[in-house]
Amino acid sequence: MRRVQSIVAALAVIVMLFSSCERYEPVTESQETAVYSGDFLRQYYNLQCQITKETSGFFPPQAARAFAYVGIAAYEAVVPGIDGAKSLAGQINGLSANALPKPEADQAYNWSIAANAAVAETMRKMFDLNLSEENLQKINQMEEFNYNQRSAEFPLPVAERSVAFGKAIAEALYQFSMGDGGHQSYLDAFQLPYELPEGPNCWIPTGPVAHPISPYWAQCRPFLAVNISETQPPAPKAFSTDPQSEFYDQAMQVYNQVTNNSAEEIEIAKFWADDPFKTCTPAGHTFNIMTQLLEEVDASLAKCAVGYAKLGLAENDAFISCWVSKYEYDLIRPVSYIHQYIDPSFQTVIGTPPFPAYSSGHSCEIGVGEKVFTEMFTNGDGNYDLSDRTGLQYGFGIRHFTNFSDMSLECANSRFYGGIHYPMDNIEGLETGRKIGDNVVNLIQWPTVD
Amino acid sequence: MAYGRLIRTVVFVAVLTFAGCSSDQAPKEENSGPKIDPVVFMADLHCTAVELRKARFELADKMRFMYDTIMLPATPEPYRQELQQRLDALEPYKDSIVGRSLDLAEVIKFKLDSIIENELEVGEERKAFDEKLTRLLKERGCE
């Protein structure tokens, strides 16, 4: 009988041991942001790329702005969990130090849940009136899935408090965004009425779109004022139809390049143009590269949030800065000039986008990408073995680079190979972008994260 | 387009579901049947994507050159109207090809992400995958 009792007791102990193995102690204290995976944030950016393609009114400036606010929302939702990190409130233009909600003192939060709520809410707000029901459901499903995955090990009050904090961040940022000049600009991307300047040097339509995109975008509020005031390129070469002039030479360079393009150069032009019909814009391509890089280094939530916020700030300001020079000089596109003064049968490799030439938006935005990637993923030399696979899904090959400056230079040159930009557009655009990238990396106090 | 939406929704839900699977939940090798080489699988998909890409650019060029002709001052009005009608007639084809491209792009993205993240280590394995895929595509003429 004692033997039976002993066996029963031993079994009871074993059962208790195993059942305690299956139980977990609910986490009741805030953990550092760096302990969470950043995978879900990368999934949101993939989704945002897809939504950008499918939502009307999201041209490059509008898309860059939306990517930016989502990145800032992610950062602000997790910044309390990064040791020594500073909020962007008080650091960026127009956002005062107390403009954003703060977590309650002595209360536990899950920063992953907070970021999930902040990002989903900001995405809904950025696409808002033009967001399709299908894409709204995708955001909602992703948010719910992430919440269910993350909330299981946390007491309900912690999870709910984290959601409330994330949504409060999103709402405060949305209020801030409403005053930046780009609010719901997807409803009126052409900002009509706009009177086209007239003159032989001036932009004229190059396709069925009779009006240039967002002619007043330069009036939008940048995140750093110096990104506009200190980054403007010099005036373009003086317009001239004289075959001996520097301007004519710029056009002739385009003409000669396009008529002698190699197969590789045509491929490069098309690869960076992304797609003739559907694209999540050049900024979206650069965000796709960021997403790939973050995956390759298995980035934590902290690193992902910092990365998307940095790139977002820089991309947003890149398009504002670039749009300043585009509409200040209102320069005629190469195709229009060449048709009139060199060869009326000239055909570009890719379509010319509907806005003035100088400087190049692609070059400007990839310039900021180069600087942000170099700072985040290298020791400062820019060396990185990058295989850009972002075009595979659209039938492009993989492009390899060993340095981020090679990547940005190829992107800038692609507009020359494509016949849609003069060489000076790309050189100056790239320079502007690099300055903006440096500003965002250096003038804002970012935390050091792994 | 409703079919396209269904495909996209199914892919999206699959992405969410698989994203939640940790490696220890992966199906066992012996139960999953003959394993398809991920490079071959990707090459099959990519070749279709290349065809669609070529068709998109061809269509885009065709439409662009028609616009160019319409805009030329020397183009006679009757021909201009004819070109406009031909352009309008191309719109349904454009919608169709873009829809098919987007659906396929989502499938490729999902599969590629899954292979990259779950089957290949960062570094040499991924590099080898890229090289093998590029070589196979070249062999098949999918460039």
Side-chain angles (χ1 to χ4, degrees):
Chain A
M1 188 62 187
R2 278 176 63 183
R3 195 176 170 198
V4 171
Q5 282 174 337
S6 298
I7 291 171
V8 169
L11 282 172
V13 169
I14 289 168
V15 167
M16 282 174 67
L17 277 174
F18 273 91
S19 64
S20 69
C21 284
E22 288 173 0
R23 272 210 319 263
Y24 56 83
E25 287 300 319
V27 181
T28 53
E29 290 183 351
S30 299
Q31 295 176 292
E32 288 184 7
T33 304
V35 306
Y36 301 107
S37 166
D39 287 1
F40 76 99
L41 208 48
R42 292 191 286 108
Q43 294 289 347
Y44 270 118
Y45 268 85
N46 284 336
L47 179 59
Q48 182 158 357
C49 177
Q50 185 189 330
I51 292 175
T52 302
K53 280 185 287 193
E54 296 173 359
T55 309
S56 63
F58 280 81
F59 293 100
Q62 289 79 12
R65 177 179 178 273
F67 280 115
Y69 279 103
V70 170
I72 296 171
Y75 178 77
E76 290 298 335
V78 305
V79 74
I82 304 174
D83 193 30
K86 283 188 72 173
S87 165
L88 295 172
Q91 295 201 75
I92 58 176
N93 198 12
L95 191 66
S96 61
N98 293 316
L100 297 180
K102 293 181 173 53
E104 295 174 50
D106 303 325
Q107 295 284 358
Y109 287 84
N110 177 317
W111 307 120
S112 176
I113 292 176
N116 180 51
V119 166
E121 186 70 7
T122 304
M123 277 178 70
R124 284 187 288 263
K125 288 176 182 298
M126 285 296 115
F127 293 93
D128 200 10
L129 301 177
N130 278 4
L131 185 62
S132 70
E133 183 61 30
E134 183 188 359
N135 283 330
L136 173 63
Q137 288 309 316
K138 285 182 179 177
I139 298 173
N140 293 345
Q141 286 168 6
M142 190 170 274
E143 182 184 25
E144 185 182 353
F145 177 84
N146 288 332
Y147 176 80
N148 290 338
Q149 267 209 329
R150 280 153 187 77
S151 59
E153 293 182 21
F154 285 79
L156 190 61
V158 175
E160 289 182 340
R161 191 182 306 122
S162 304
V163 169
F165 177 65
K167 287 193 185 298
I169 289 287
E171 178 59 30
L173 280 172
Y174 182 62
Q175 294 298 324
F176 171 63
S177 77
M178 289 171 76
D180 74 357
H183 177 57
Q184 294 182 343
S185 53
Y186 51 81
L187 296 176
D188 180 25
F190 292 93
Q191 298 181 312
L192 298 175
Y194 171 72
E195 196 170 327
L196 284 177
E198 289 186 12
N201 60 316
C202 291
W203 179 86
I204 54 174
T206 56
V209 182
H211 304 282
I213 290 173
S214 306
Y216 303 113
W217 197 258
Q219 294 170 14
C220 286
R221 178 182 63 205
F223 289 118
L224 289 178
V226 292
N227 280 344
I228 312 306
S229 62
E230 304 296 323
T231 63
Q232 289 309 303
K237 309 284 185 199
F239 178 84
S240 172
T241 58
D242 180 350
Q244 303 305 316
S245 67
E246 287 185 305
F247 192 87
Y248 192 93
D249 178 61
Q250 290 278 317
M252 271 309 291
Q253 286 187 51
V254 175
Y255 182 75
N256 290 332
Q257 177 65 42
V258 170
T259 48
N260 294 293
N261 262 334
S262 66
E264 170 79 355
E265 287 164 340
I266 291 171
E267 175 76 7
I268 289 170
K270 291 182 174 178
F271 176 83
W272 287 103
D274 289 326
D275 203 277
F277 297 124
K278 293 279 181 182
T279 164
C280 63
T281 78
H285 188 148
T286 307
F287 271 98
N288 285 343
I289 296 173
M290 169 64 94
T291 296
Q292 182 181 319
L293 294 170
L294 290 168
E295 190 276 327
E296 287 180 0
V297 300
D298 194 20
S300 68
L301 175 57
K303 183 150 186 150
C304 286
V306 170
Y308 286 127
K310 274 183 188 171
L311 188 60
L313 287 177
E315 289 284 352
N316 179 76
D317 286 5
F319 279 99
I320 297 173
S321 178
C322 184
W323 253 237
V324 171
S325 61
K326 277 190 183 296
Y327 287 91
E328 181 175 348
Y329 301 112
D330 194 51
L331 190 62
I332 188 170
R333 285 279 182 171
V335 65
S336 307
Y337 183 93
I338 293 170
H339 279 168
Q340 289 181 60
Y341 307 111
I342 298 174
D343 179 357
S345 66
F346 173 74
Q347 291 178 339
T348 57
V349 177
I350 52 177
T352 301
F355 36 80
Y358 189 76
S359 59
S360 153
H362 259 74
S363 305
C364 195
E365 74 81 22
I366 199 67
V368 307
E370 174 196 322
K371 289 297 183 177
V372 172
F373 297 158
T374 295
E375 189 264 346
M376 286 193 71
F377 300 102
T378 79
N379 60 9
D381 59 10
N383 289 334
Y384 190 98
D385 195 4
L386 172 66
S387 296
D388 183 356
R389 301 184 194 88
T390 54
L392 268 179
Q393 60 182 316
Y394 303 113
F396 290 100
I398 301 166
R399 296 208 66 77
H400 301 280
F401 307 98
T402 54
N403 190 291
F404 289 123
S405 66
D406 295 343
M407 170 200 74
S408 61
L409 194 59
E410 180 179 287
C411 176
N413 284 338
S414 75
R415 313 307 275 170
F416 179 50
Y417 305 154
I420 65 170
H421 273 293
Y422 306 103
M424 63 181 172
D425 302 347
N426 305 320
I427 292 167
E428 296 302 337
L430 194 53
E431 191 57 27
T432 294
R434 285 171 172 160
K435 285 180 189 167
I436 291 170
D438 276 339
N439 287 342
V440 167
V441 165
N442 297 321
L443 300 182
I444 291 175
Q445 286 187 45
W446 298 101
T448 303
V449 287
D450 293 323
Chain B
M1 291 309 277
Y3 179 68
R5 272 204 300 276
L6 177 66
I7 295 269
R8 286 201 288 275
T9 304
V10 167
V11 169
F12 181 73
V13 171
V15 168
L16 283 181
T17 307
F18 281 99
C21 294
S22 57
S23 56
D24 59 349
Q25 291 171 312
K28 289 177 183 173
E29 188 81 16
E30 59 266 29
N31 294 333
S32 56
K35 191 171 181 181
I36 300 171
D37 183 341
V39 174
V40 175
F41 186 80
M42 279 307 302
D44 290 343
L45 291 175
H46 186 74
C47 284
T48 309
V50 170
E51 284 175 23
L52 283 169
R53 185 200 83 189
K54 287 178 178 169
R56 285 197 309 277
F57 273 94
E58 194 179 317
L59 177 63
D61 286 346
K62 193 173 180 180
M63 295 176 81
R64 186 155 53 89
F65 301 152
M66 283 187 196
Y67 283 127
D68 286 350
T69 310
I70 287 173
M71 288 168 62
L72 284 175
T75 305
E77 187 55 33
Y79 185 47
R80 192 172 284 162
Q81 285 177 8
E82 184 193 323
L83 284 176
Q84 188 58 56
Q85 283 172 357
R86 280 159 60 183
L87 274 172
D88 294 342
L90 286 173
E91 283 296 330
Y93 175 58
K94 176 184 151 186
D95 291 343
S96 162
I97 198 169
V98 168
R100 279 187 290 150
S101 300
L102 287 178
D103 290 344
L104 180 62
E106 267 191 69
V107 173
I108 291 176
K109 173 114 183 78
F110 167 61
K111 187 62 193 170
L112 184 67
D113 285 351
S114 171
I115 292 170
I116 296 283
E117 292 187 30
N118 301 324
E119 298 184 36
L120 305 172
E121 291 292 323
V122 176
E124 289 308 309
E125 281 189 22
R126 292 187 183 185
K127 202 172 173 183
F129 173 84
D130 290 344
E131 286 170 359
K132 197 173 166 189
L133 179 60
T134 304
R135 201 165 49 243
L136 186 56
L137 293 173
K138 198 170 183 178
E139 283 170 15
R140 291 185 179 187
C142 302
E143 292 178 288

